[in-house]
Amino acid sequence: RQADHTFYATLPELDQFGSREGAVYLGVQPSFATGQPQWLDGPGAKVFCYLQNFPGLGRLLAELGAAGLNLLVYSRDIPQDIQRLAKANGRIQFSSEPLSIETVSREARFVVHHGGHATALQCFLNGVPQLCVPTQQEQLLTALQLDRAGVGITAPYSQKTFAEDIRQLHGRAQFRQRARHFHHKYVDFTWANS
């Protein structure tokens, strides 16, 4: 034993190696992004997407749009042609400004992202289901922890369609109920009081 205490910037449910005996879990640092979401007016459940460009991005956005969802997408690198096509096929608003993940996750039916640990943990604490499309190994490990907790679905970025994953997260109450369970479990948990 080399240390008296071990601290982890996560929670037991998202610890990629499982809950560790004697560990001190700190949760996640608050997001520094302060942008407020500007959703499109009108129908459709609100879904926030925090994505980078990847080979299946156009297909993912098209299928989210085809599901009748009201999408708010933040990305620094989505090509203009993909944005134009997505807007033509659905209710999609793109933001070039980083948004407060705490605010958007409270307003969204579910969140779509790559499985970055901080985003996953912030959404987890805010009680919102998550569709993760990992593009690297660490994101995959985080996404699988969300699956195990019953609050998310992991969708390989190379799969042919995302429609069934979208339908499940949008239509099945169990994901929302499970996410709300963890929100209530950690409602008083903050970085400062851990």
Side-chain angles (χ1 to χ4, degrees), residues 5-25:
H5 302 284
T6 307
F7 298 89
Y8 295 95
T10 190
L11 293 173
E13 293 84 359
L14 268 67
D15 188 335
Q16 296 173 355
F17 297 98
S19 182
R20 304 172 208 225
E21 187 177 330
V24 178
Y25 287 98

Side-chain angles (χ1 to χ4, degrees), residues 18-115:
S19 182
R20 304 172 208 225
E21 187 177 330
V24 178
Y25 287 98
L26 301 174
V28 64
Q29 289 181 324
S31 170
F32 295 107
T34 58
Q36 294 303 302
Q38 301 296 316
W39 302 94
L40 293 174
D41 291 331
K46 295 175 179 175
V47 174
F48 176 63
C49 303
Y50 179 13
L51 298 166
Q52 295 178 342
N53 191 21
F54 68 97
L57 179 61
R59 186 174 62 254
L60 173 61
L61 292 176
E63 291 177 5
L64 286 162
L69 302 169
N70 185 345
L71 304 178
L72 178 56
V73 180
Y74 168 67
S75 177
R76 292 181 295 260
D77 66 351
I78 296 179
Q80 290 297 317
D81 61 326
I82 291 178
Q83 289 187 37
R84 278 191 299 278
L85 186 59
K87 286 180 179 180
N89 293 317
R91 300 182 40 72
I92 301 177
Q93 175 80 0
F94 287 91
S95 173
S96 59
E97 173 186 18
L99 302 173
S100 164
I101 194 72
E102 292 88 356
T103 303
V104 294
S105 64
R106 282 193 299 267
E107 296 178 5
R109 171 77 57 90
F110 62 92
V111 173
V112 182
H113 60 95
H114 292 294

Side-chain angles (χ1 to χ4, degrees), residues 87-184:
K87 286 180 179 180
N89 293 317
R91 300 182 40 72
I92 301 177
Q93 175 80 0
F94 287 91
S95 173
S96 59
E97 173 186 18
L99 302 173
S100 164
I101 194 72
E102 292 88 356
T103 303
V104 294
S105 64
R106 282 193 299 267
E107 296 178 5
R109 171 77 57 90
F110 62 92
V111 173
V112 182
H113 60 95
H114 292 294
H117 190 265
T119 301
L121 190 49
Q122 288 165 336
C123 293
F124 182 84
L125 287 171
N126 282 300
V128 64
Q130 301 170 60
L131 173 59
C132 294
V133 185
T135 59
Q136 57 176 280
Q137 187 67 33
E138 187 172 345
Q139 294 170 343
L140 174 62
L141 295 174
T142 298
L144 292 173
Q145 288 303 107
L146 293 169
D147 287 4
R148 286 184 191 100
V151 301
I153 294 176
T154 300
Y157 73 89
S158 59
Q159 69 186 32
K160 292 187 186 328
T161 181
F162 300 96
E164 179 60 21
D165 300 322
I166 293 165
R167 188 191 64 73
Q168 284 191 47
L169 275 178
H170 180 53
R172 294 177 65 191
Q174 72 186 40
F175 290 103
R176 188 96 179 144
Q177 291 166 352
R178 191 77 177 141
R180 298 306 296 166
H181 162 78
F182 286 113
H183 169 73
H184 292 298

